[in-house]
Amino acid sequence: MATAISPLAFFSAGAAATTGAIVPKPSQTPPLPKPLIPFLQSNTPGPLSSLTAPISAIAVAAILSTTPPLLAATGGAFNVYYGTAASAANYGGFGGNASKKDSAEYIYDVPEGWKERLVSKVEKGTNGTDSEFYNPKKRKEKEYLTFLAGIRQLAPKDVILNNLALSDVNLQDQIASAEGFSAEERKDENGQIYYVYEIDGAGTHSLISVTCAKNKLYAHFVNAPTPEWDRDQDMLRHVHESFKTVGSY
């Protein structure tokens, strides 16, 4: 169940730590607003019988045969990134190649065309940033993952986000000026718990997913300036929901 939390609460808390074809809607029908964290909603398009003009079975087959599989709902292609969450001492620069697959601790989808930013050993050692990708056309539209070792289980949702904000000034500011906020707890098919946050800040929109596995806390961020969020939110939500840990728990 989603929980609305006042942004100021995070600073009073302790720091303890895709598929098928999309059928266009009639142009005179305004789009419905998208709710925050729509994990319980279906994105499946309505039946073809809802169209105002009948379409023959042959025409329908022709439409479906020209729709790229698994991409129609998001409008783009993705590549899977395999992250190892190695310590700074064992860190070796760029990742994401096939050789990392067997040792991956987490995965997430990266939009085709996005670029990987090299994370330095210093940055990795100080704030735990393990990987980052960005849209070269708009560098502030990005996704990245941070991790902290030595954490066996999740603390309460507000404490977790407060601790993340303490190490990220931009996240602090975004929470403080948030126009909308939601927090949710969900479980995957293995019963692993994920905390899911959505922050509609002043000029920036963020989706955050946090979980614990292998005595580590993993936090996956998807950030976009408001104009990019308004344009790309279906794709960005896909990226956000693609994050999960892999291997033994």
Side-chain angles (χ1 to χ4, degrees), residues 107-124:
I107 61 173
Y108 58 73
D109 286 355
V110 179
E112 193 171 83
W114 281 30
K115 304 298 183 182
E116 184 175 16
R117 183 180 72 83
L118 179 61
V119 178
S120 70
K121 287 187 176 182
V122 173
E123 183 179 1
K124 187 179 180 75

Side-chain angles (χ1 to χ4, degrees), residues 22 37 40 60 77 82 92 101 112 129 138 188 191 212 245-246:
I22 292 180
I37 310 298
L40 302 181
V60 172
Y82 296 90
K101 185 174 182 178
E112 193 171 83
T129 302
K138 193 71 175 182
D188 65 9
C212 276
T245 60
V246 295

Side-chain angles (χ1 to χ4, degrees), residues 101-174:
K101 185 174 182 178
D102 293 339
S103 58
E105 293 186 10
Y106 65 88
I107 61 173
Y108 58 73
D109 286 355
V110 179
E112 193 171 83
W114 281 30
K115 304 298 183 182
E116 184 175 16
R117 183 180 72 83
L118 179 61
V119 178
S120 70
K121 287 187 176 182
V122 173
E123 183 179 1
K124 187 179 180 75
T126 55
N127 60 18
T129 302
D130 190 64
S131 57
E132 182 175 320
F133 291 82
Y134 64 93
N135 182 349
K137 298 178 181 179
K138 193 71 175 182
R139 293 185 67 98
K140 289 186 178 180
E141 185 177 30
K142 61 185 178 180
E143 65 173 321
Y144 59 97
L145 182 133
T146 65
F147 76 96
L148 294 172
I151 299 179
R152 299 180 61 85
Q153 61 184 21
L154 292 170
K157 289 192 293 291
D158 56 341
V159 173
I160 288 289
L161 191 59
N162 179 54
N163 289 340
L164 292 175
L166 288 174
S167 62
D168 188 333
V169 174
N170 291 329
L171 181 58
Q172 277 189 13
D173 292 343
Q174 189 178 3

